[in-house]
Amino acid sequence: MPKRHVVVVGAGIGGLTAAIALHRRGWHVTVCERAPQPPTTGAGIGLAPNALRALDALGIDAAHAAGTAVPETMGLRRFKGRWLTRTRTADMAARYGTPPIAVPRPAFTAALAAALPPQALRYGTPVTAVDDAMGRPTIRTAAGPDLTADLVIAADGINSSLRRTCFPTHPGLRYTGESAWRALVDAPDLRIEAMSETWGHGRRFGITPLTDGRLYLYATVLVPVGTRPTGADLRAELRRHFGSWHDPIPALLDRIERLDPADVLRNDLYDLATPLPRLHHGRIVWLGDAAHAMTPNLGQGGCQAIEDAAVLAHLLPTGHTNTTDSPDSPDRTDLVPAALAAYTSARRDRTNAVRLRARRIGRLGALRNPLAVALRDLAIRATPTRLALRGMDDLFNGFRLPG
C-alpha cells in the first residue's frame, strides 16, 4: 500500500516525537540530523503536565522512556537561602493529574529514537535546501541524493535555516541579555530532593533532580552578548559568580569542577523577536524552537515542541494514500495543506503566549536594582501558594487536540 513520505529535519525532542507520531499513523518517515551521532552529553529537560498529557495522547509512555522519580517540592529561593515560595509536587499532581518529571535530555532523546525504525534515522545528514515550488518538496542534503516527500517538518532548532529561507523579512532572534551554563552532575550524598531556582541580582542558579538520580544544574548571568573571559575555565567562572551563595550551591560547584570542561555547556540565551506570520509555508511546517524559540524560564521549550508534534499528527491524514475520510472525500493527499493551515491556527497563539510569558519571567529573574529586587521578592512571598499554582492552570491545562 503506498505511503505518504515525511522528512523531518532535526532529531531533537520535537522532531523525534513528530516522527514517532506519524510513523504510527502510517507515514514513511525519514529523519535527517546534522550531528554525526546522537547526543551523549547535554542538559536535562522538564516534562510538565501539559507535555506528559501530549505524550499520552500519542501513546508514548513517558514513564517507560524517562522514569517516574519526581522531586518532593519545587520553589524559588533568595541567594542567601531563604525560600520565597515552595510548592509540593503532590499538590501539582492533585491539580493537574500528574506531577512534572525531569529527565536527562540525551537519555530521553535516545528513548524516542529507539521507537523509530533504525533506517528512519540519518545522522550526519545536514539538509542544505528544500525546493517546494512544485507542491511536492525536494530535500537536498550534503550526504547523498535528493529526497522527495509529501511533507517536510522543520524541527531544525533555534537557528533554523529553513525558517530564515522561507521568512526572509522576519527579524529572527533577540538576545535576552543573559548567558547560561548547563551541566549534569552526580551528588547522591547531598540528598537534594527539591527542584529549586535561586535568584540574586541579575544572576540565577537552578537545581533539578533527574529521574536517573543525577542533578541538572543551570545558571544565568546578565552579560553583553558573546562575553567570554579570556583564558578562564567555564567552571571557574561559575565559582566566581556563585561560590558565596547558599548551600548546597558551593558543594555542587565542586562537582562541576570535577567534570570534563566539554560537559559544561555555555550558551547565550535568545528567543524569537516576534511570532512567525504562520507556522507553515507550502508543504513545510515548523515546530519547536524552529517555530517559536523561547527562553527556558518556564521550562516549556521542549514541552511546547511535544505539544506541536501531537497537534500536527492529530490534524494530518494517515499515511496511506488510497484511504479516504468518507466515501465523498477526495484522496487525502489534498488534505495535507488544509491540515497545515489548521495547525497554524491551533498552535500559533498558544505558543506565542507561552513565549511572551517566559520572556516576562526572565525579566523578573534578571532584575539587578536592589529596590526592584526587594519589591519583586516581597510580591512573590505575599502570594499564597494556591493562587500561584492556579496561575499555572492555563499553561499546564492548556494542551488540547483540535476538534
Side-chain angles (χ1 to χ4, degrees), residues 42-45 182-185 206-210 214-218:
I45 177 172
R182 293 172 292 161
L184 300 177
V185 302
I207 304 169
T208 302
L210 301 179
R214 289 184 293 173
L215 297 169
Y216 166 43
L217 308 178
Y218 61 90

Side-chain angles (χ1 to χ4, degrees), residues 27 34 61 71 117 135 166 214 221 227 239 241 267 309 328 376:
W27 286 67
R34 170 183 301 276
D61 186 347
C166 294
R214 289 184 293 173
V221 173
T227 299
R239 176 73 67 179
H241 284 296
N267 303 97
D328 298 325
R376 175 199 69 192

Side-chain angles (χ1 to χ4, degrees), residues 125-292:
T125 307
V127 170
T128 57
V130 175
D131 181 0
D132 193 28
M134 302 303 293
R136 193 164 192 268
T138 298
I139 300 93
R140 296 184 172 85
T141 76
D146 294 347
L147 304 171
T148 58
D150 299 283
L151 175 67
V152 175
I153 297 178
D156 51 341
I158 190 170
N159 293 304
S160 171
S161 60
L162 291 178
R163 184 185 66 224
R164 293 194 302 269
T165 299
C166 294
F167 300 103
T169 62
H170 187 272
L173 300 175
R174 177 197 70 102
Y175 178 51
T176 66
E178 290 183 291
S179 191
W181 294 259
R182 293 172 292 161
L184 300 177
V185 302
D186 287 302
D189 55 306
L190 298 181
R191 301 184 181 277
I192 297 172
E193 297 178 342
M195 181 187 301
S196 65
E197 186 167 291
T198 300
W199 288 2
H201 294 74
R203 289 176 287 173
R204 291 180 285 169
F205 195 99
I207 304 169
T208 302
L210 301 179
T211 53
D212 68 351
R214 289 184 293 173
L215 297 169
Y216 166 43
L217 308 178
Y218 61 90
T220 68
V221 173
L222 282 172
V223 291
V225 63
T227 299
R228 298 292 186 274
T230 303
D233 190 301
L234 295 181
R235 301 167 299 176
E237 192 182 3
L238 278 171
R239 176 73 67 179
R240 180 171 63 85
H241 284 296
F242 301 101
S244 63
W245 283 28
H246 68 79
D247 291 333
I249 291 176
L252 292 171
L253 294 176
D254 291 340
R255 301 304 199 281
I256 291 176
E257 288 172 351
R258 299 173 193 170
L259 296 175
D260 187 302
D263 292 334
V264 182
L265 307 180
R266 173 77 182 273
N267 303 97
D268 293 337
L269 298 181
Y270 293 83
D271 65 1
L272 210 62
T274 63
L276 293 176
R278 59 191 180 281
L279 302 184
H280 70 287
H281 179 86
R283 287 181 178 254
I284 307 172
V285 61
W286 283 262
L287 61 73
D289 282 346
H292 42 68

Side-chain angles (χ1 to χ4, degrees), residues 6-25 27-35 37-40 45 54-55 58-61 65 104-123 153-157 285-289 302 304-310 312-313:
V6 57
V7 171
V8 182
V9 185
I13 287 170
L16 290 173
T17 304
I20 293 170
L22 291 179
H23 168 66
R24 292 179 176 178
R25 285 181 58 77
W27 286 67
H28 172 56
V29 175
T30 303
V31 181
C32 296
E33 167 56 43
R34 170 183 301 276
Q37 59 189 12
T40 56
I45 177 172
L55 289 169
L58 292 172
I60 297 174
D61 186 347
R105 187 178 289 262
F108 188 52
T109 301
L112 293 174
L116 289 169
Q119 65 272 19
L121 291 162
R122 300 189 183 184
Y123 290 97
I153 297 178
D156 51 341
V285 61
W286 283 262
L287 61 73
D289 282 346
Q304 291 303 307
I306 292 169
E307 283 193 16
D308 289 345
L312 179 62

